[in-house]
Amino acid sequence: MLNEEVRAWPLRQGFPALEAAGTVHTDMKKGFIRAEVLSFDHLKQYGSVHDVKQKGLVHLEGKEYVVKDGDILQFRFNV
């Protein structure tokens, strides 16, 4: 069985992806490259991140992307 860890950070409405990354860790903000975004509703519907990706419902966004309620983000960064 795969042991996965999931965490959530509350954000103010209208936060850009760069600020969201900084909420998680300052190094993520400093080295921000892109955010991989999928919706919680799609995850619930299809059951796994892999299946959501297979459906083409994951997209890459830049620093200015405004995070929406229900977004799940994986930050790509390099420090």
Side-chain angles (χ1 to χ4, degrees):
M1 182 172 173
L2 184 61
N3 187 10
E4 293 185 30
E5 182 177 329
V6 177
R7 294 187 183 194
W9 285 263
L11 304 171
R12 279 194 233 139
Q13 190 168 347
F15 250 40
L18 182 63
E19 294 303 317
T23 300
V24 176
H25 198 284
T26 55
D27 284 346
M28 286 186 177
K29 183 176 179 179
K30 280 191 246 178
F32 184 92
I33 299 169
R34 292 243 183 262
E36 191 173 283
V37 183
L38 64 130
S39 94
F40 174 77
D41 291 335
H42 288 141
L43 181 60
K44 193 165 89 174
Q45 179 180 0
Y46 296 108
S48 73
V49 173
H50 179 269
D51 290 342
V52 174
K53 285 181 180 184
Q54 291 292 92
K55 298 287 183 187
L57 298 171
V58 175
H59 48 101
L60 293 176
E61 297 291 346
K63 296 176 186 179
E64 302 301 319
Y65 174 76
V66 177
V67 179
K68 298 176 189 71
D69 188 34
D71 278 351
I72 298 171
L73 292 92
Q74 181 174 2
F75 297 109
R76 295 181 181 182
F77 68 102
N78 184 21
V79 179

